[in-house]
Amino acid sequence: MRSTTSSQSQPILESHDIPQEAFDWYDEYAHGIIDRREFIKRLSGLAVVGLTVSSLTSVLMPNYALAEQVSFNDPKIKATYTEFDSPLGHGKGRGYLVMPKEMSKPLPVVLVVHENRGLNPYIEDVARRLAMNGFIAFAPDALYPLGGYPGNDDDGRAMQSSLDREKVEQDFIAAARFIKSYPGSSGKLGAVGFCFGGYIVNMLAAVIPDELNAGVPFYGTPAAESLRAQVKGPLLIHFAELDKRVNDTWPQYQQVLQGNQVPYEAVIYPGVNHGFHNDSTARYNEEAAESAWGKTLIFFDTHLI
């Protein structure tokens, strides 16, 4: 498990050193249930020798320098930013487009959907990881209408919450169609998303079921009840055992999928928190993340190639 320190004078903390309450409060903070002041106030109640507010926040808050598994200038990939039309959304969108440098044939494409704070470096790295495995990956930035991801998650979260939700969803529908028909695409479309992005994948599975060939939501809530019956799948759904907020939505969604005989696999990873795949914070669990990512690549290989 990765360890982090907030300064030279403070002890190194690992995820098992942090009380579960701190992870739960961070989840509430990250999803707008409590504000930063309340989050820090609660952390202060845990502050004891070796467990200060600053040491806790240093490992709970993202450090994106830890999340780069594939360099942005790796010679085996080609990465750029490109715009797309979104007439039912914000008019124009922009995303991070990554593909293998050498392409001898059309390749399947995968839409990569960020959390509720814009296109941060972790999500860009996920796109690069997919390109390294033979896919064309496209990661839109929901914050493009406001100038794009601002460089920090707090501002990004506030910016995303200020946008019209329906227009944001339309932007991702437009992005999915844009990359599905992109030059070099085989016409097979997959989507993977995290948290809010997991919701977007579930939403896409419901609103463009005949266009999405494979969906992988990581700890995402389902689409609106009125849309769920439209899902055709296949889906590979990843859950964190300790993520009560999202997991509480699963039984009803599962009932719909089973009733409609939608092909799906749901995996619950034991003892891990919401965000366990994000390798920039202490919520990251290497064993669960590697297992989930390996399953994701096999799933895309099976349904897109």
Side-chain angles (χ1 to χ4, degrees), residues 68-169:
E68 186 177 81
Q69 294 188 19
V70 180
S71 172
F72 70 92
N73 59 2
D74 190 293
K76 293 185 288 297
I77 60 173
K78 180 171 64 174
T80 188
Y81 295 92
T82 188
E83 292 185 349
F84 60 93
D85 292 325
S86 180
L88 299 179
H90 289 95
K92 283 281 188 182
R94 191 179 84 147
Y96 185 59
L97 178 65
V98 198
M99 63 187 70
K101 189 75 174 245
E102 303 294 333
M103 289 178 51
S104 60
K105 61 179 181 179
L107 297 177
V109 299
V110 178
L111 188 76
V112 184
V113 190
H114 59 67
E115 310 107 321
N116 65 338
R117 63 211 69 168
L119 180 59
N120 59 52
Y122 154 64
I123 297 298
E124 290 189 341
D125 195 70
V126 170
R128 293 194 293 270
R129 297 173 205 176
L130 284 162
M132 291 290 282
N133 281 277
F135 299 95
I136 297 173
F138 187 55
D141 187 355
L143 303 185
Y144 179 66
L146 300 178
Y149 176 69
N152 71 86
D153 281 11
D154 280 352
D155 288 346
R157 191 178 300 112
M159 290 167 65
Q160 188 160 324
S161 67
S162 74
L163 289 169
D164 182 293
R165 177 76 170 236
E166 291 186 9
K167 287 187 176 182
V168 170
E169 291 179 2

Side-chain angles (χ1 to χ4, degrees), residues 3 7 32 41 53 59 64 69 77 81 125 139 146 159-160 170 188 197 199 225 231 233 237 243-244 262 264 296:
S3 60
S7 73
K41 178 183 176 182
V53 170
V59 292
Y64 289 123
Q69 294 188 19
I77 60 173
Y81 295 92
D125 195 70
L146 300 178
M159 290 167 65
Q160 188 160 324
Q170 288 296 331
K188 289 292 187 73
Y199 159 75
E225 285 188 49
V231 175
I237 308 171
D243 187 8
K244 185 177 185 301
V262 175
Y264 77 89
T296 297

Side-chain angles (χ1 to χ4, degrees), residues 238-250:
H238 299 298
F239 293 103
E241 183 186 31
L242 303 179
D243 187 8
K244 185 177 185 301
R245 179 182 57 83
V246 170
N247 296 351
D248 284 349
T249 69
W250 171 233

Side-chain angles (χ1 to χ4, degrees), residues 1-303:
M1 189 71 61
R2 174 177 297 134
S3 60
T4 309
T5 181
S6 58
S7 73
Q8 294 297 321
S9 61
Q10 291 182 335
I12 293 174
L13 285 183
E14 296 189 4
S15 59
H16 58 74
D17 298 321
I18 302 173
Q20 182 59 38
E21 301 99 304
F23 288 111
D24 295 340
W25 297 335
Y26 177 76
D27 186 70
E28 291 183 30
Y29 165 61
H31 294 91
I33 299 170
I34 61 175
D35 61 19
R36 184 181 181 88
R37 178 175 295 182
E38 177 64 22
F39 175 54
I40 297 299
K41 178 183 176 182
R42 293 185 185 183
L43 289 183
S44 299
L46 297 176
V48 295
V49 175
L51 198 63
T52 64
V53 170
S54 60
S55 63
L56 284 167
T57 55
S58 71
V59 292
L60 289 170
M61 299 294 190
N63 177 357
Y64 289 123
L66 299 173
E68 186 177 81
Q69 294 188 19
V70 180
S71 172
F72 70 92
N73 59 2
D74 190 293
K76 293 185 288 297
I77 60 173
K78 180 171 64 174
T80 188
Y81 295 92
T82 188
E83 292 185 349
F84 60 93
D85 292 325
S86 180
L88 299 179
H90 289 95
K92 283 281 188 182
R94 191 179 84 147
Y96 185 59
L97 178 65
V98 198
M99 63 187 70
K101 189 75 174 245
E102 303 294 333
M103 289 178 51
S104 60
K105 61 179 181 179
L107 297 177
V109 299
V110 178
L111 188 76
V112 184
V113 190
H114 59 67
E115 310 107 321
N116 65 338
R117 63 211 69 168
L119 180 59
N120 59 52
Y122 154 64
I123 297 298
E124 290 189 341
D125 195 70
V126 170
R128 293 194 293 270
R129 297 173 205 176
L130 284 162
M132 291 290 282
N133 281 277
F135 299 95
I136 297 173
F138 187 55
D141 187 355
L143 303 185
Y144 179 66
L146 300 178
Y149 176 69
N152 71 86
D153 281 11
D154 280 352
D155 288 346
R157 191 178 300 112
M159 290 167 65
Q160 188 160 324
S161 67
S162 74
L163 289 169
D164 182 293
R165 177 76 170 236
E166 291 186 9
K167 287 187 176 182
V168 170
E169 291 179 2
Q170 288 296 331
D171 287 341
F172 281 105
I173 294 169
R177 288 172 169 160
F178 166 78
I179 195 60
K180 185 178 178 76
S181 61
Y182 193 79
S185 165
S186 68
K188 289 292 187 73
L189 170 68
V192 61
F194 306 86
C195 184
F196 165 79
Y199 159 75
I200 291 293
V201 173
N202 282 321
M203 182 273 295
L204 292 174
V207 299
I208 55 169
D210 294 320
E211 298 171 72
L212 183 68
N213 302 106
V216 184
F218 276 74
Y219 27 84
T221 55
E225 285 188 49
S226 61
L227 299 175
R228 295 174 196 175
Q230 300 173 191
V231 175
K232 294 183 179 179
L235 298 174
L236 171 61
I237 308 171
H238 299 298
F239 293 103
E241 183 186 31
L242 303 179
D243 187 8
K244 185 177 185 301
R245 179 182 57 83
V246 170
N247 296 351
D248 284 349
T249 69
W250 171 233
Q252 189 179 32
Y253 189 29
Q254 182 182 34
Q255 188 175 24
V256 173
L257 297 179
Q258 289 178 338
N260 292 332
Q261 298 184 317
V262 175
Y264 77 89
E265 179 183 1
V267 186
I268 301 175
Y269 297 86
V272 300
N273 284 282
H274 182 97
F276 70 82
H277 184 266
N278 187 333
D279 46 358
S280 69
T281 81
R283 298 181 299 170
Y284 174 65
N285 182 283
E286 183 176 11
E287 181 179 0
E290 291 298 317
S291 176
W293 190 243
K295 288 180 173 66
T296 297
L297 292 176
I298 292 171
F299 185 75
F300 283 151
D301 283 343
T302 300
H303 295 287

